[in-house]
Amino acid sequence: MTSALKRKIVVCGATGNQGGAVARYLLREECWEVVALTRDPDSRAAKQLATMGARIFKADTNSQVSLIEPFTGAYGVFGVTQPWSATKKIMISQVK
């Protein structure tokens, strides 16, 4: 399938356990444009996703500016929150 026909899916936490599994699955399906968000685009996991075809973006859910480009035109999002590292108020603001 050509990239023009693929729908864009943004995977938050794409280098972690849950996000990584989702990103790899979507990439194997070959019908999605996978945009992988990570805090460290130079990590081994990010580089592996890039070789599989993902577009890697350094992003921080606390920085709206870092999210504009990767989310523009997205068909869907796989979001991972970290309840142990944020208050309820922060988690809600990140999801919005």
Side-chain angles (χ1 to χ4, degrees):
M1 180 175 287
T2 66
S3 61
L5 298 176
K6 294 181 179 183
R7 289 188 170 163
K8 179 178 177 178
I9 301 291
V10 178
V11 180
C12 302
T15 55
N17 289 332
Q18 291 179 343
V22 169
R24 289 187 301 274
Y25 175 82
L26 293 171
L27 288 163
R28 283 193 301 270
E29 288 293 303
E30 298 182 357
C31 60
W32 303 103
E33 175 192 349
V34 177
V35 172
L37 303 186
T38 180
R39 290 180 298 233
D40 183 6
D42 295 319
S43 70
R44 183 171 48 170
K47 290 178 180 179
Q48 180 186 24
L49 290 172
T51 63
M52 295 174 71
R55 292 178 53 212
I56 309 297
F57 282 89
K58 179 177 179 143
D60 180 346
T61 55
N62 293 314
S63 168
Q64 287 183 347
V65 172
S66 73
L67 303 173
I68 293 171
E69 184 179 354
F71 279 94
T72 298
Y75 174 77
V77 175
F78 176 81
V80 178
T81 60
Q82 299 177 1
W84 58 86
S85 65
T87 66
K88 181 178 179 180
K89 184 177 179 179
I90 291 171
M91 284 193 314
I92 291 170
S93 72
Q94 290 174 341
V95 172
K96 288 181 181 181

